[in-house]
């Protein structure tokens, strides 16, 4: 009886996973290998005084990569922007290094405290480039740093960036394009960060000197992080196309309309992922109170180095917590107009399917077949076949993601493409268990 | 459980087949894409070779025909529509396209689209025809600008904004008036148009639509050589729409003159905060240090952005404003005191004063009093920043000086 029950659930789970994978693959193939960006000329926008200025907020999480990150941001091609670096207790050799490169001087700036944050100790302005402000404040987490940046921001839109990403010169222009087209309707824009190994083979891009050497496990996990990143990009592209909304890819950079962020009380200091939480709150807020939409920008904003397995584990657990928080929070939201509510429900359904149901079903199939074989309900061949089925099914979805990615600039070349396609089936046994364990640990933590 | 085993076996085989098929397809599409790009790069590079570039167009077409015949129409269009393709190469590619496909097809593609692929072809065709100065190019771009598709309209606006044809500016102004697409996007390209636009915008300053008046008033300042613009803008300073008043004073600030100053002074009391902020900035643009007192008054404005504008404007006027700022240091409103102290700091007045006095054995009483006022108005972090700026040696003396001035909290912090 028990064996039959598990067998039925196994078949249902596999049918469900096959259905979701088919919809995703056909959706990707239907979009075709076309680039998302139009042939619009960006140069006039990049030079116009009417292009909306942006405050870029960079919370310091890794001092080793900060100088590199600041340099890249200051080199962005955009008519008017400022960079606000928010650091917890900036002092010693690190401050000296930063000061000597950017000629920082302590200068008081009286700003509006619209959102409460940990106390600011000192504000530094750069004599070398007046667009750079560095804030030293009490450490209170990423959300608090973002809120401090929002308080200090002089411009209508704020862009929140991590210090571990590499951006191209026109990235800000790309991420801002929906807001530049229709500023009255844009509350936020999400753009993808592709996590991949740079300079992995001869001829590849050189690795930055500030990047620490990677361990064996990180190198093994790197291609799978890249695949996960590409699947996330595909998911966000598909869902945004269908539902005109979404909750952003796994790694993303976002631009927010400052007044909307302030109206919602700033980034949540208790949320597992403040940016993810803000995106969910903005899209589920009452449209009569905060009218507008969150958009996604075409293609990739930036690239990030692969995470170590430990970091990936932590990030996976964090994402799981963020997903659960979002699910709980959005279920409670009421008062929105019926049409907006319907859109939110669809968005939530898609989100729950991709973020909760699929991983759960995959884990369920694996667990039932392995445990079933161990206790004698099923044979070991069942377990092996189930894992083969899941591995190649997952690899097919990854192939569809690579198909979409290959059409955009900066796509993997043929050698990388072949390597990724060939190693994709191993992801399920080599890398997924780490993420599954992270998700499980996050659930246990709650 | 043979049924389950069969199901899993069939499922696994299907999954492996799907993965293999997908992999082969992805690699094939990518290889085709790379080869097609490489082919067109080779065509363009060949056309840039000196021995080829010096030939007449017909001979150049003949030279590349063998290579280009292998490329698809879309690839040739992609190369021709790339604005970085050199002029000679573009002319040859256009000529080649005419020999291989009828020109009417390109015009037809530029006129309308249905699918996503058609849309790409439409934007590429528009770019090619615009670069070619085709006789239908302006009307096709007008159609695109008037259409509902934002991507196509964006391409049309950009092309019209760089066009030397005087009709291009008229099409952009028509797009501004129709409001089918955000006026701000039209304005970006209208401002950069090589065509003179001031005379075209003048009549629109009285347009019934406030958005049109706003953009006309904003854009008209981009052509400051045109005489008498300030008199056209002046009535808009009293416009019923605050956005128009803001645009008018912003443009008057750029054009200059005594009328502009009077208008800006009048708008310092405007009920809309963003109009007050722009009036302050206009006075800064006009470099009217004689009215710095009026601006300093707005350091205590109810709106934060007006206070910020006042601070930045006073700073841009230079150290001359210090006399006006001194009374602000003892203002009952904390925002005014803070703002004045910040301006003193950013003008470098505090640093030069305090460094001199710290270095002196007998600091002047008047200067000490002034420093005390500034430091007290700025607060603890302000004074600490000052000490830090001065460096370890002078900083220690400054700290001592601040302590002797009775600002003991600075020492303690």
């Amino acid at each position: 009886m028990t064996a039959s029950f598990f067998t039925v659930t196994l078949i249902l789970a596999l049918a469900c996973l096959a259905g979701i994978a088919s919809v995703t693959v056909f959706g990707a193939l239907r979009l075709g290998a076309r680039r998302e960006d139009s042939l619009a000329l960006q140069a006039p926008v990049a030079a116009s005084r009417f292009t909306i200025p942006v405050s870029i907020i960079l919370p310091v999480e890794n001092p080793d990569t900060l100088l590199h990150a600041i340099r890249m941001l200051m080199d962005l091609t955009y008519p008017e922007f400022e960079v606000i670096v928010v650091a917890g207790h900036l002092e010693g050799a690190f401050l000296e290094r930063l000061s000597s490169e950017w000629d920082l001087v302590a200068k008081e700036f009286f700003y509006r405290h619209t959102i409460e944050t940990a106390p600011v100790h000192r504000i530094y302005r750069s004599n070398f480039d007046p667009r750079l402000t560095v804030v030293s404040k009490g450490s209170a987490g990423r959300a608090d740093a973002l809120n401090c940046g929002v308080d200090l921001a002089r411009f209508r839109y704020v862009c929140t960036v991590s210090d571990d990403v590499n951006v191209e010169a026109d990235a800000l222009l790309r991420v801002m394009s929906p807001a530049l087209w229709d500023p009255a309707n844009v509350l936020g824009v999400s753009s993808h960060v592709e996590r991949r190994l740079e300079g992995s083979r001869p001829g590849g891009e050189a690795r930055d000197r500030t990047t620490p050497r990677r361990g064996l496990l990180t190198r093994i996990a790197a291609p799978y992080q890249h695949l996960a990143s590409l699947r996330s990009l595909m998911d966000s592209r598909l869902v945004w196309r269908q539902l005109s909304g979404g909750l952003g890819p796994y790694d993303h950079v976002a631009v927010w309309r400052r007044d909307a962020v302030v109206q919602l009380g700033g980034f949540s200091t208790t949320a597992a992922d403040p940016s993810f939480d803000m995106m969910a709150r903005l899209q589920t807020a009452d449209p009569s109170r905060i009218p507008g939409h969150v958009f996604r920008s075409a293609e990739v904003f930036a690239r990030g180095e692969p995470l170590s397995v430990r970091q990936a584990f932590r990030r996976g657990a964090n994402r799981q917590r963020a997903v659960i928080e979002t699910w709980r929070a959005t279920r409670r939201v009421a008062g929105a107009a019926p049409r907006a509510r319907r859109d939110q429900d669809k968005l939530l359904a898609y989100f729950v399917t991709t973020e909760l149901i699929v991983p759960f079903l995959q884990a369920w199939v694996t667990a039932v077949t392995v445990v079933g074989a161990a206790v004698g309900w099923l044979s070991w061949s069942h377990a092996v076949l189930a894992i083969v089925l899941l591995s190649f099914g997952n690899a097919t979805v990854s192939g569809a993601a690579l198909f979409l990615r290959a059409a955009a600039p900066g796509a993997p070349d043929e050698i990388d493409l072949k390597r990724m396609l060939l190693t994709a089936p191993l992801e399920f046994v080599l890398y997924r268990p780490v993420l599954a364990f992270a998700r499980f640990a996050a659930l246990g933590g709650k | 459980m043979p049924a389950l085993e069969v199901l899993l076996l069939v499922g696994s085989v299907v999954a492996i087949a799907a993965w293999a098929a997908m992999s082969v397809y992805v690699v094939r599409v990518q290889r085709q894409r790379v080869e097609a790009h490489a082919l067109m790069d080779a065509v363009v590079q060949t056309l840039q070779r000196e021995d080829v570039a010096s030939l007449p167009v017909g001979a150049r077409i003949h030279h590349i025909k063998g290579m280009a015949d292998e490329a698809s129409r879309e690839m040739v269009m992609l190369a021709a529509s790339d604005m970085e393709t050199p002029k000679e190469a573009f002319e040859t590619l256009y000529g080649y396209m005419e020999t291989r496909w009828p020109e009417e097809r390109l015009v037809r593609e530029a006129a309308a689209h249905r699918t996503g692929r058609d849309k790409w072809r439409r934007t590429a065709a528009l770019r090619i025809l615009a670069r070619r100065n085709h006789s239908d190019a302006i009307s096709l771009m007008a159609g695109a600008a008037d259409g509902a598709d934002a991507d196509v309209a964006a391409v049309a606006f950009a092309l019209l904004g760089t066009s030397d044809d005087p009709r291009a500016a008229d099409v952009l102004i028509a797009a501004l008036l129709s409001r089918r697409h955000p006026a701000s996007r039209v304005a970006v390209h209208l401002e950069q148009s090589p065509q003179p636009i001031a005379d075209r915008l003048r009549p629109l300053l009285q347009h019934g639509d406030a958005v049109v008046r706003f953009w006309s008033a904003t854009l008209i300042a981009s052509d400051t050589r045109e005489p008498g613009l300030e008199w056209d803008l002046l009535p808009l300073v009293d416009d019923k729409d605050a956005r128009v008043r803001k645009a008018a004073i912003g443009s008057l600030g750029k054009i200059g003159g005594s009328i502009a100053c009077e208008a800006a002074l009048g708008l310092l009391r405007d009920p809309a905060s963003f109009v007050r902020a722009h009036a302050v900035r206009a006075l800064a643009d006009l470099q009217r240090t004689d009215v710095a007192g009026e601006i300093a008054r707005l350091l205590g404005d109810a709106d934060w952005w007006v206070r910020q504008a006042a601070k930045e404007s006073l700073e841009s006027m230079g150290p001359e404003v210090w006399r006006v700022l001194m009374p602000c240091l003892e203002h009952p409103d904390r925002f005014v005191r803070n703002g004045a102290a910040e301006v003193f700091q950013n003008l470098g007045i505090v640093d030069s004063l305090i460094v001199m006095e710290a270095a002196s054995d007998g600091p002047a009483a008047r200067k000490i009093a002034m420093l005390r006022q500034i430091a007290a108005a700025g607060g603890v972090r302000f004074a600490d920043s000052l000490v830090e700026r001065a460096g370890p040696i002078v900083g220690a003396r400054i700290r001592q000086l601040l302590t002797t001035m009775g600002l003991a909290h600075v020492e303690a912090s």
Side-chain angles (χ1 to χ4, degrees):
Chain A
M1 183 66 190
T2 313
S4 306
F5 168 74
F6 282 119
T7 308
V8 170
T9 61
L10 187 67
I11 293 168
L12 285 175
L14 284 171
C16 196
L17 286 170
I20 293 167
S22 304
V23 168
T24 309
V25 170
F26 283 116
L29 292 175
R30 224 177 116 228
L31 277 181
R34 280 195 306 277
R35 285 178 61 162
E36 270 195 282
D37 60 339
S38 67
L39 285 174
L41 304 168
Q42 294 284 30
V45 182
S48 174
R49 67 182 166 115
F50 300 136
T51 299
I52 305 169
V54 180
S55 299
I56 301 172
I57 305 171
L58 178 68
V60 179
E61 277 157 308
N62 181 2
D64 294 334
T65 55
L66 181 67
L67 284 171
H68 178 62
I70 295 175
R71 261 179 250 139
M72 264 187 316
L73 292 175
M74 301 308 287
D75 283 342
L76 285 169
T77 309
Y78 198 82
E80 192 176 5
F81 68 93
E82 63 175 351
V83 175
I84 302 167
V85 178
V86 187
H89 295 291
L90 195 58
E91 54 194 3
F94 177 49
L95 176 60
E96 268 175 40
R97 235 170 54 217
L98 200 58
S99 293
S100 65
E101 178 157 344
W102 290 98
D103 193 9
L104 295 181
V105 283
K107 274 193 176 172
E108 181 57 343
F109 172 64
F110 294 99
Y111 60 95
R112 187 168 48 163
H113 296 262
T114 44
I115 308 167
E116 277 306 312
T117 67
V120 167
H121 301 145
R122 195 79 77 242
I123 298 171
Y124 297 91
R125 309 303 283 253
S126 168
N127 277 337
F128 183 66
D129 191 330
R131 296 174 302 169
L132 177 65
T133 301
V134 178
V135 182
S136 173
K137 64 181 273 296
S139 302
R142 183 177 166 80
D144 195 75
L146 292 176
N147 287 334
C148 179
V150 171
D151 271 349
L152 279 150
R154 288 169 52 227
F155 300 129
R156 188 182 182 196
Y157 279 91
V158 292
C159 177
T160 52
V161 188
S162 296
D163 54 15
D164 66 343
V165 298
N166 294 307
V167 295
E168 285 169 9
D170 64 344
L172 189 58
L173 210 53
R174 289 205 302 261
V175 72
M176 277 297 288
S177 50
L180 296 176
W181 185 262
D182 190 6
N185 194 32
V186 177
L187 294 172
V189 186
S190 155
S191 187
H192 189 68
V193 172
E194 186 176 17
R195 206 158 276 288
R196 77 179 199 192
L197 205 58
E198 303 284 9
S200 53
R201 60 184 175 77
E205 286 174 54
R207 196 157 58 93
D208 187 71
R209 278 187 301 134
T210 55
T211 312
R213 288 189 68 80
R214 304 176 196 96
L216 178 66
L217 281 176
T218 306
R219 288 205 300 273
I220 292 171
Y224 301 120
Q225 287 185 27
H226 191 182
L227 282 176
S229 172
L230 296 183
R231 280 198 306 274
S232 172
L233 173 65
M234 174 178 69
D235 282 346
S236 77
R237 191 171 160 183
L238 291 176
V239 70
W240 240 284
R241 192 180 163 83
Q242 294 297 322
L243 304 178
S244 307
L247 290 165
Y250 214 84
D251 279 303
H252 65 265
V253 162
V255 170
W256 313 98
R257 212 171 70 201
R258 189 182 176 282
D259 62 312
V261 172
V262 170
Q263 219 176 328
L264 288 176
F267 293 91
S268 166
T269 50
T270 55
D273 183 337
S275 182
F276 193 79
D277 170 78
M278 177 57 70
M279 200 167 289
R281 281 195 288 149
L282 273 179
Q283 289 183 88
T284 50
D286 183 354
S288 62
R289 195 165 72 95
I290 305 178
H293 293 94
V294 177
F295 291 78
R296 72 176 278 274
S297 72
E299 297 178 2
V300 173
F301 175 85
R303 293 194 179 81
E305 285 285 316
L307 304 170
S308 67
V309 174
R310 184 180 295 185
Q311 285 170 322
F313 181 88
R314 216 179 297 137
R315 188 76 69 94
N318 219 32
R319 173 81 174 187
Q320 187 66 43
R321 275 194 288 273
V323 165
I324 293 165
E325 282 171 6
T326 305
W327 182 55
R328 283 180 182 155
T330 48
R331 272 190 321 161
R332 285 198 298 267
V333 173
R339 194 172 161 192
R341 189 67 236 180
R342 269 199 303 277
D343 288 347
Q344 288 168 10
D345 288 346
K346 279 188 205 164
L347 190 65
L348 199 61
Y350 186 92
F351 169 69
V352 168
T353 305
T354 54
E355 297 284 347
L356 290 174
I357 295 176
V358 169
F360 171 76
L361 291 179
Q362 286 174 339
W364 180 255
V365 170
T366 311
V368 165
T369 50
V370 170
V371 173
V375 298
W377 293 337
L378 301 170
S379 71
W380 280 107
S381 63
H382 286 121
V384 172
L385 283 171
I387 290 169
V388 168
L389 174 52
L390 289 175
S391 298
F392 282 90
N394 186 57
T396 309
V397 176
S398 298
L402 278 166
F403 177 66
L404 278 190
R405 180 66 186 94
D413 61 20
E414 193 177 324
I415 300 170
D416 277 339
L417 207 55
K418 281 179 181 167
R419 197 171 50 185
M420 288 168 83
L421 286 163
L422 282 172
T423 53
L426 294 174
E427 183 190 358
F428 198 78
V429 283
L430 288 181
Y431 186 61
R432 280 300 179 88
V434 175
L435 291 186
F437 188 56
R439 286 173 186 272
F440 184 72
L443 287 173
K446 281 274 161 185
Chain B
M1 288 182 201
L4 180 64
E5 189 145 3
V6 170
L7 184 75
L8 288 171
L9 188 64
V10 171
S12 298
V13 170
V14 169
I16 292 170
W19 164 76
M22 176 65 81
S23 301
V24 170
Y25 181 60
V26 171
V27 172
R28 212 183 110 228
V29 169
Q30 178 70 350
R31 188 175 293 166
Q32 283 173 347
R33 185 183 291 119
V34 170
E35 284 171 359
H37 280 278
L39 176 67
M40 287 318 297
D41 285 348
V43 169
V44 173
Q45 276 170 17
T46 305
L47 288 169
Q48 286 178 272
R49 264 178 20 213
E50 268 183 39
D51 59 321
V52 180
S54 58
L55 297 171
V57 175
R60 291 203 300 253
I61 293 171
H62 182 72
H63 207 89
I64 57 146
K65 193 171 181 325
M67 274 196 288
D69 279 351
E70 289 175 36
S72 66
R73 177 173 163 75
E74 287 196 347
M75 286 312 298
V76 180
M77 284 176 80
L78 182 66
S81 65
D82 186 347
M83 293 300 181
E84 285 176 17
T85 301
K87 189 169 171 277
E88 292 76 17
F90 167 75
E91 282 169 359
T92 315
L93 287 170
Y94 189 85
Y96 170 77
M97 285 179 75
E98 276 182 312
T99 62
R100 198 169 156 192
W101 301 285
E103 194 185 47
E104 295 79 58
R105 185 170 165 189
L106 196 64
V107 174
R108 207 169 50 242
E109 281 169 338
H113 75 273
R114 278 165 57 195
T115 64
R117 194 162 284 263
D118 286 347
K119 184 160 106 175
W120 182 89
R121 283 201 202 99
R122 186 178 182 187
T123 52
L126 280 170
R127 288 170 69 143
I128 295 168
L129 293 170
R131 192 167 179 191
R132 178 68 181 175
N133 288 325
H134 191 277
S135 56
D136 291 339
I138 294 290
S139 62
L140 288 166
M141 286 189 279
D146 199 35
D149 192 288
D151 295 332
V152 177
V155 172
F157 293 154
L159 294 170
L160 289 162
T162 54
S163 175
D164 292 324
D165 191 320
R167 291 174 298 165
D170 293 330
V171 175
L172 283 172
I173 286 177
L176 190 72
L177 291 170
S178 76
R179 304 272 307 281
R180 187 179 271 274
H181 299 288
S184 59
R185 288 307 86 199
V186 183
V188 164
H189 302 289
L190 202 46
E191 191 191 33
Q192 291 173 34
S193 169
Q195 307 300 321
I197 54 169
D199 271 344
R200 289 177 166 98
L201 292 170
R202 263 194 170 117
L204 302 181
L205 293 173
Q206 282 89 44
H207 196 274
D209 185 345
V211 173
V212 174
R213 291 201 303 280
F214 166 78
W215 281 110
S216 303
T218 305
L219 287 164
I220 213 161
S222 57
D223 199 355
T224 50
R225 292 160 302 171
E226 198 67 27
L229 287 179
E230 61 270 36
W231 295 105
D232 293 306
L233 284 166
L234 197 59
L236 298 188
V237 167
D238 298 318
D239 196 282
K240 61 180 183 296
D241 192 295
R243 291 169 299 175
V244 180
R245 298 199 295 276
K246 174 194 118 173
I249 199 59
S251 290
L252 279 169
K254 287 185 178 59
I255 292 167
S258 58
I259 305 170
C261 181
E262 277 173 31
L265 283 171
L267 289 180
L268 291 180
R269 287 167 180 79
D270 194 278
S273 59
F274 58 88
V275 177
R276 294 197 298 278
H278 275 77
V280 167
R281 292 189 193 280
L283 287 169
D285 285 344
L286 295 165
Q287 280 298 306
R288 293 295 298 260
T289 45
D290 56 316
V291 294
E294 290 293 315
I295 298 176
R297 196 178 52 77
L298 293 183
L299 287 172
D301 193 277
D303 184 86
W304 177 264
W305 299 110
V306 180
R307 294 200 292 267
Q308 183 66 22
K311 276 194 290 186
E312 289 174 5
S313 299
L314 288 165
E315 265 172 56
S316 74
M317 288 178 169
E320 274 182 65
V321 298
W322 76 270
R323 281 180 198 282
V324 170
L325 286 173
M326 279 309 291
C328 298
L329 295 171
E330 293 196 327
H331 197 279
D333 184 342
R334 183 168 60 92
F335 290 122
V336 179
R337 294 197 304 273
N338 287 170
E342 192 181 325
V343 177
F344 269 116
Q345 168 197 260
N346 292 347
L347 287 173
I349 294 171
V350 185
D351 293 53
S352 51
L353 259 178
I354 204 147
V355 169
M356 276 193 292
E357 292 312 308
S360 153
D361 289 334
R366 261 183 56 210
K367 285 183 184 172
I368 289 289
M370 184 175 168
L371 281 173
R372 178 183 287 127
Q373 272 183 309
I374 297 173
V380 178
R381 216 166 54 202
F382 179 91
D384 279 353
S385 296
L386 173 62
V387 171
E388 196 171 322
R389 276 203 303 281
I393 300 163
V394 183
R397 294 201 66 178
I398 292 171
R399 193 175 284 282
Q400 196 182 358
L401 179 66
L402 287 169
T403 313
T404 59
M405 283 158 59
L407 298 167
H409 62 283
V410 174
E411 178 69 24
S413 65

